């Protein structure tokens, strides 16, 4: 079969479209013939070696959807021909509050979805939502699960909750916007692009500001007031502004640090406001099932930015790295 293999780090140009061994299901496994896969920021980080537990060579890709091709022994819940989507989080563990030590994500160290076939444990395979296309289904797993856990489990967002999502445009941020709106929250966003802010408003955001403006924090505070919940994947210097924007007793839910570590955090600003700063990443199998149910209930559709053929995965990774993306980047495998 064909797949996208990373054997050494150095960036997206180091990925290779090549023949790789087709997997055979073991006990409790299924092999899925993939229709589409989608990119996440972690795929770019992995090509540079900027990810914990690097173990190469590996086929990249966490997200994918397709048709069950073969099943191993002791698999009773799935049959050949079933249309499915894959939960990329392997071995979450028994506690919904945090993942087990051996938890890992498809696409390194385990071979991922940038290939024609993939082998996964049967418990990580779920029925494809009937209302979604293959491309839309493949765009969901990692980003939507991360957003669901951040907004629902960790953020406890409800009707009327004021939510701020900085850096709108990424897959997780857009899913967080859609999930929060489905919960009837009041959502505000920021971006360096006025066009992205306008698109977010068309999706249901109540307001937004361009953080290139020197007075963006003041402007947002006047427009939004203070936020009950902030969903942050940026970190860096901006994190200190989030503390100012949070309501006393509010929550800052962090799932990433694309801008790096937070410098010189002044702790009194946190404890005098009685803030909850909560970390989160990915989610449990139950949360994945609940996320799919919420999506079906509200017919939430992922925003697709651009599609590439599998063979052109290097170009897709470089396009993501440019930072102008609004939505998910999808690979066509079929």
């Amino acid at each position: 079969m064909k797949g996208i293999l990373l054997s050494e780090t150095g960036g997206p140009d180091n990925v290779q479209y090549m023949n790789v061994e087709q997997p055979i299901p073991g006990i409790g496994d299924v092999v899925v013939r993939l229709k589409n896969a989608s990119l996440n920021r972690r795929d770019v980080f992995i090509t540079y070696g900027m990810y914990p537990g690097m173990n190469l060579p590996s086929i990249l890709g966490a997200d994918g959807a397709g048709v069950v091709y073969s099943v191993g022994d002791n698999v009773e819940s799935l049959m050949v021909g079933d249309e499915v989507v894959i939960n990329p989080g392997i071995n979450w563990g028994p506690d919904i509050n945090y993942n087990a030590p051996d938890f890992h994500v498809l696409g390194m160290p385990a071979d991922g979805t940038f290939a024609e076939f993939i082998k996964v444990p049967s418990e990580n395979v779920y029925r494809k939502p009937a209302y979604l296309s293959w491309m839309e289904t493949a765009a969901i797993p990692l980003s939507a699960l991360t957003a669901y856990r951040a907004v629902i489990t960790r953020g406890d967002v409800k009707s009327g909750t004021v939510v701020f999502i900085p850096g709108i445009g990424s897959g997780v941020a857009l899913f967080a916007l859609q999930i929060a709106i489905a919960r009837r929250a009041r959502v505000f966003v920021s971006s360096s692009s006025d066009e992205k802010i306008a698109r977010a408003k068309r999706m249901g955001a109540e307001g937004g500001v361009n953080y290139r403006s020197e007075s963006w924090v003041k402007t947002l505070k006047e427009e939004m007031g203070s936020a009950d919940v902030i969903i942050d994947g940026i970190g860096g210097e901006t994190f200190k502004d989030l503390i100012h924007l949070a309501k006393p007793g509010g929550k800052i839910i962090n799932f990433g640090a694309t801008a790096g570590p937070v410098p010189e955090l002044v702790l009194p600003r946190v404890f005098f406001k009685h803030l909850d700063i909560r970390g989160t990443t990915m989610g449990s199998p139950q949360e994945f099932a609940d996320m799919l149910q919420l999506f079906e209930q509200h017919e939430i559709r992922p925003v697709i930015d651009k599609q590439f053929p599998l063979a052109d995965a290097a170009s897709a990774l470089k396009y993501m790295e440019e930072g102008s993306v609004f939505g998910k980047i999808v690979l066509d495998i079929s």
Side-chain angles (χ1 to χ4, degrees):
M1 70 170 185
K2 293 292 187 180
I4 301 298
L5 191 72
L6 179 70
S7 297
E8 59 181 359
T9 58
D13 283 327
N14 281 16
V15 301
Q16 297 174 289
Y17 177 66
M18 59 186 297
N19 289 315
V20 290
E21 187 175 354
Q22 185 169 321
I24 298 171
I27 297 173
D29 293 331
V30 300
V31 171
V32 177
R33 185 180 188 116
L34 291 154
K35 297 280 190 179
N36 288 98
S38 70
L39 276 66
N40 293 284
R41 182 66 60 175
R42 77 182 293 270
D43 299 311
V44 176
F45 290 159
I46 287 169
T47 68
Y48 287 102
M50 298 167 57
Y51 207 82
M54 290 293 297
N55 184 20
L56 301 178
S58 183
I59 298 171
L60 297 183
D63 292 342
V67 177
V68 174
Y69 179 78
S70 58
V71 300
D73 292 339
N74 298 342
V75 176
E76 299 178 354
S77 59
L78 295 160
M79 297 189 300
V80 172
D82 285 345
E83 298 184 344
V84 297
V85 60
I86 298 166
N87 174 3
I90 310 297
N91 299 331
W92 175 269
D95 197 322
I96 195 173
N97 294 304
Y98 56 89
N99 57 266
D102 60 345
F103 173 77
H104 60 278
V105 180
L106 296 176
M108 199 292 298
D111 283 339
T113 56
F114 294 179
E116 293 177 308
F117 297 87
I118 186 172
K119 179 181 73 172
V120 288
S122 61
E123 60 264 27
N124 283 74
V125 179
Y126 296 71
R127 304 285 178 176
K128 171 186 173 292
Y131 75 98
L132 293 176
S133 68
W134 284 114
M135 182 169 60
E136 290 170 327
T137 304
I140 288 177
L142 187 150
S143 293
L145 176 60
T146 300
Y148 180 91
R149 181 174 172 84
V151 174
I152 305 297
T153 306
R154 303 293 277 161
D156 193 27
V157 169
K158 301 173 182 175
S159 177
T161 301
V162 177
V163 178
F164 172 49
I165 305 173
I168 200 67
S170 73
V172 178
L174 286 172
F175 282 129
L177 169 64
Q178 291 173 296
I179 292 168
I181 288 171
R183 299 282 281 191
R184 301 183 182 276
R186 299 177 58 215
V187 185
F188 296 81
V189 302
S190 71
S191 173
S192 62
S193 163
D194 291 337
E195 173 58 25
K196 288 185 179 182
I197 294 169
R199 292 182 68 177
K201 287 181 179 179
R202 291 196 292 271
M203 292 174 63
E206 190 171 322
V209 295
N210 190 317
Y211 62 73
R212 298 290 188 194
S213 167
E214 290 185 5
S215 60
W216 76 268
V217 175
K218 180 182 178 181
T219 302
L220 181 60
K221 197 76 176 284
E222 291 172 351
E223 181 179 358
M224 175 185 71
S226 297
D228 298 300
V229 178
I230 299 174
I231 307 295
D232 173 53
I234 299 172
E237 185 74 32
T238 305
F239 195 84
K240 291 182 285 187
D241 294 321
L242 304 186
I243 293 172
H244 177 69
L245 289 165
K247 181 182 293 185
K251 304 182 188 76
I252 300 175
I253 314 299
N254 176 265
F255 63 87
T258 56
V262 180
E264 299 178 0
L265 178 63
V266 181
L267 283 176
R269 296 181 62 195
V270 175
F271 61 71
F272 280 131
K273 291 185 78 172
H274 302 271
L275 296 181
D276 280 350
I277 298 178
R278 300 182 176 184
T280 188
T281 185
M282 296 289 291
S284 67
Q286 184 60 57
E287 287 165 317
F288 192 89
D290 292 343
M291 176 270 293
L292 289 178
Q293 184 179 32
L294 179 75
F295 272 50
E296 293 189 85
Q297 178 185 351
H298 295 276
E299 293 197 354
I300 295 173
R301 292 185 178 274
V303 177
I304 306 297
D305 182 285
K306 196 168 183 178
Q307 186 174 8
F308 292 80
L310 176 64
D312 208 10
S315 295
L317 289 162
K318 286 186 278 190
Y319 177 69
M320 170 169 271
E321 193 175 17
E322 290 172 5
S324 60
V325 177
F326 190 88
K328 295 290 291 183
I329 302 168
V330 180
L331 299 178
D332 181 20
I333 300 172
S334 59

